[in-house]
Amino acid sequence: MLNWEERRLMVKVAKLYYFEGWTQAQIAARNNVSRPVISKLLNNAKKEGIVEIYIKDETVQTVELEQTLEKKYGLSEVIVVSTAGFAPDMAKRQLGKTAASYIAKNLKGVKSLGISWGTTLLSLIEEYPYERRDDINIVPIVGGMGSDYVHLHSNQLAFNLAQKMNTSCSYLYAPAMVESDELKERLVNSKDIAHVLERGRNVDMALVGLGNPFKSSTMETIGYLEESDLASLRKAGAVGDISSRFFDAVGKEVDHPLNNRVIGLNLDEIRNIPEVIGIVEGSYKLESIEAALKGGYLNVLITDDRTAQELLEE
């Protein structure tokens, strides 16, 4: 039980620190004590309920989700976007805007930027500001050719982002997935494609989306996956994909013929990139996200609040 003098000193110190803006060192000098004594008084004031600190802002909930996810999965950063009440297209747009802002502010020291493909990355690039980054080269990390849905392919996304940054980009002149192992080998061993793939392995940062092959799959929409492929992927234990590479529930690349026919970086090569930023929304991708995090493929996760909450509940 604190006596009157102890309570009075705690209140006096707390008022100077929290209301008057004094530093702990200044308060210590004023009271002829050491700074650790003031620090202890402030901590005790909180323990005794004399001081209560709370953050009066709606973003506190998303910040708590971010910090908890960072600790749970060992991520360098998590950004959770509040999308409550948003229609699906607006939620994706909001996610793209947040991701664009984060990337624009975190390109210091980045000389080469890898990019995958998909609808989420398209939203990011649409929201990216026009600026001058002529010291950065944009590199596709998966094949990006095709006659349908061209706006989603990695080459087109690389070109569009390079225009926004007023910089250069490379092109990977091959589709994401080819018809046979033999064709894949011929392509990856050709000089131009091998050169771009090597650039992709050495990028400083990569932007990727995550897919669920069995729910709202862009790969199925485009025509890379047929019903027979989905059945065999399910049998192989696939739960998600990054850059058209399929992985299982613990994040391991599955042994499946489709993975052998992808023109692009494999999952081990993606994991070895210094910073991989995953931009993904939708709780239907929950299992895919969790597996990717278990596999250690991402350093930064940008997602919506509902998905973040469900990741913690899982």
Side-chain angles (χ1 to χ4, degrees):
M1 185 77 179
L2 295 174
N3 61 38
W4 179 82
E5 288 186 357
E6 289 171 328
R7 292 185 70 88
R8 176 184 174 278
L9 182 57
M10 280 186 188
V11 171
K12 180 181 178 182
V13 168
K15 188 173 185 302
L16 288 171
Y17 186 72
Y18 291 109
F19 286 91
E20 304 297 330
W22 287 39
T23 67
Q24 292 185 24
Q26 288 172 325
I27 300 169
R30 168 78 176 268
N31 290 276
N32 295 314
V33 296
S34 65
R35 194 195 64 77
V37 169
I38 300 302
S39 179
K40 186 176 180 181
L41 284 168
L42 290 169
N43 285 330
N44 287 341
K46 286 186 278 187
K47 290 177 183 177
E48 294 292 334
I50 292 171
V51 172
E52 293 183 356
I53 299 174
Y54 66 95
I55 301 171
K56 189 179 179 182
D57 192 276
E58 62 183 13
T59 58
V60 67
Q61 183 180 4
T62 57
V63 170
E64 287 173 355
L65 287 172
E66 291 169 357
Q67 293 174 337
T68 308
L69 283 171
E70 286 167 6
K71 291 176 183 176
K72 180 176 180 179
Y73 292 105
L75 295 163
S76 60
E77 189 152 9
V78 174
I79 300 173
V80 175
V81 182
S82 178
T83 57
F86 283 30
D89 58 333
M90 288 304 296
K92 185 166 286 190
R93 182 175 178 182
Q94 187 64 26
L95 195 74
K97 186 179 296 186
T98 303
S101 176
Y102 174 83
I103 291 156
K105 294 174 182 176
N106 288 275
L107 288 174
K108 185 177 181 180
V110 174
K111 298 299 182 184
S112 54
L113 177 63
I115 189 164
S116 184
W117 68 289
T119 58
T120 309
L121 294 183
L122 173 64
S123 296
L124 182 162
I125 292 167
E126 288 177 340
E127 298 298 330
Y128 200 89
Y130 283 94
E131 56 181 359
R132 190 170 191 87
R133 299 273 187 179
D134 50 14
D135 57 339
I136 295 178
N137 180 247
I138 315 297
V139 184
I141 61 172
V142 64
M145 287 181 63
S147 57
D148 297 325
Y149 299 89
V150 174
H151 59 295
L152 300 179
H153 287 296
S154 60
N155 281 334
Q156 188 64 45
L157 295 181
F159 172 76
N160 290 344
L161 184 56
Q163 282 201 316
K164 287 287 187 81
M165 290 184 174
N166 193 28
T167 191
S168 62
C169 67
S170 302
Y171 297 104
L172 194 51
Y173 291 112
M177 191 176 290
V178 294
E179 295 80 8
S180 68
D181 294 358
E182 293 78 15
L183 178 56
K184 183 257 182 87
E185 288 304 312
R186 288 204 305 272
L187 288 172
V188 298
N189 288 317
S190 66
K191 183 179 178 180
D192 289 344
I193 292 176
H195 178 67
V196 177
L197 288 175
E198 185 60 23
R199 279 190 170 187
R201 295 182 190 101
N202 291 283
V203 295
D204 302 307
M205 176 189 286
L207 312 177
V208 302
L210 274 76
N212 179 337
F214 311 111
K215 295 179 183 178
S216 303
S217 169
T218 304
M219 290 187 71
E220 183 182 13
T221 301
I222 288 178
Y224 281 134
L225 299 179
E226 298 179 355
E227 285 297 327
S228 58
D229 296 320
L230 294 174
S232 61
L233 281 169
R234 195 184 299 276
K235 187 175 181 180
V239 300
D241 73 273
I242 297 175
S243 289
S244 305
R245 297 278 186 173
F246 299 97
F247 51 83
D248 63 17
V250 295
K252 183 179 178 182
E253 188 165 335
V254 297
D255 183 12
H256 192 280
L258 289 176
N259 273 343
N260 298 330
R261 301 207 297 267
V262 174
I263 307 292
L265 271 57
N266 62 39
L267 291 179
D268 283 338
E269 291 168 336
I270 291 171
R271 188 194 285 116
N272 288 331
I273 293 170
E275 184 172 20
V276 180
I277 301 172
I279 305 121
V280 55
E281 56 87 27
S283 55
Y284 69 94
K285 293 183 179 180
L286 191 64
E287 190 177 10
S288 310
I289 301 169
E290 187 173 28
L293 294 174
K294 287 178 179 178
Y297 300 118
L298 307 180
N299 307 102
V300 176
L301 173 66
I302 303 175
T303 191
D304 63 280
D305 49 354
R306 180 180 175 184
T307 303
Q309 185 63 57
E310 292 185 5
L311 269 174
L312 292 179
E313 290 170 0
E314 285 289 304

